[in-house]
Amino acid sequence: MMKATVYVTIKQGVLDPQGVAVQGALHSMGFEEVSSLRIGKYMELQLDTNDRAEAEQRVKAMCEKLLANTVVEDYRYELEG
Amino acid sequence: MMKATVYVTIKQGVLDPQGVAVQGALHSMGFEEVSSLRIGKYMELQLDTNDRAEAEQRVKAMCEKLLANTVVEDYRYELEG
């Protein structure tokens, strides 16, 4: 059993409308010190495998094929266990 | 200038329909080793402040008031800079 943590973030230079909206909401609530806010996804996967090298390769394939849209998003992942 | 990273995750025991859907999609693509998948949010904030203690307090307030729904979500954050 291994645990993978995947972070998917919007690429630098790509507009993040959700982040802009949340930043605007924070400003209107008095949190004016927030000068930039970007929102991404965070995923925790439990994998039925003990082969670290294979898990690494499989998680990379999941990211490329489904979890991230590599045209506008970056991803990174960590493996534990 | 400080950077805050906020992680918002769905509480243990609360159903994560988005995670279930993505897990199903991964299974149908042949990634059958994924035994559980939970999706959360990941936010990067730039803060116009150099006071670490104040930033800590302010980020906590942002999480409680807007960034996380504490009824069904947990949050944690890290401060840098």
Side-chain angles (χ1 to χ4, degrees):
Chain A
M1 206 66 167
M2 299 195 75
K3 185 185 161 193
T5 309
V6 177
Y7 304 86
V8 177
T9 49
I10 294 180
K11 280 188 176 159
Q12 215 61 38
V14 176
L15 187 69
D16 174 13
Q18 197 188 0
V20 171
V22 172
Q23 188 185 352
L26 286 171
H27 282 187
S28 71
M29 292 166 76
F31 296 108
E32 268 132 31
E33 71 266 46
V34 181
S35 62
S36 128
L37 192 156
R38 310 270 293 171
I39 300 187
K41 274 168 285 181
Y42 168 85
M43 288 171 255
E44 289 178 345
L45 290 79
Q46 295 289 340
L47 304 174
D48 264 333
T49 176
N50 291 309
D51 182 336
R52 199 188 173 82
E54 195 209 336
E56 183 118 14
Q57 207 176 41
R58 298 279 286 175
V59 171
K60 191 172 195 300
M62 291 178 211
C63 289
E64 292 281 342
K65 289 183 184 165
L66 184 77
L67 304 180
N69 174 357
T70 55
V71 177
V72 290
E73 293 172 330
D74 288 323
Y75 65 86
R76 68 176 204 276
Y77 53 85
E78 289 157 12
L79 283 172
E80 280 170 59
Chain B
M1 206 66 168
M2 297 195 76
K3 186 185 160 193
T5 310
V6 177
Y7 304 86
V8 178
T9 49
I10 294 180
K11 280 190 175 154
Q12 214 62 39
V14 176
L15 188 68
D16 174 13
Q18 197 187 359
V20 171
V22 171
Q23 187 185 352
L26 285 171
H27 282 187
S28 71
M29 290 167 77
F31 296 107
E32 269 131 31
E33 71 266 45
V34 182
S35 61
S36 129
L37 192 155
R38 310 270 294 172
I39 301 187
K41 273 168 285 182
Y42 168 85
M43 288 172 255
E44 289 178 345
L45 290 78
Q46 295 289 340
L47 305 173
D48 265 334
T49 176
N50 291 309
D51 182 335
R52 197 186 175 84
E54 194 208 339
E56 182 118 14
Q57 208 176 39
R58 298 279 285 174
V59 170
K60 190 170 196 300
M62 291 179 212
C63 289
E64 292 282 341
K65 289 184 185 163
L66 184 78
L67 304 182
N69 173 356
T70 55
V71 178
V72 290
E73 292 173 331
D74 288 322
Y75 66 85
R76 66 176 205 277
Y77 54 85
E78 288 157 12
L79 283 172
E80 280 169 60

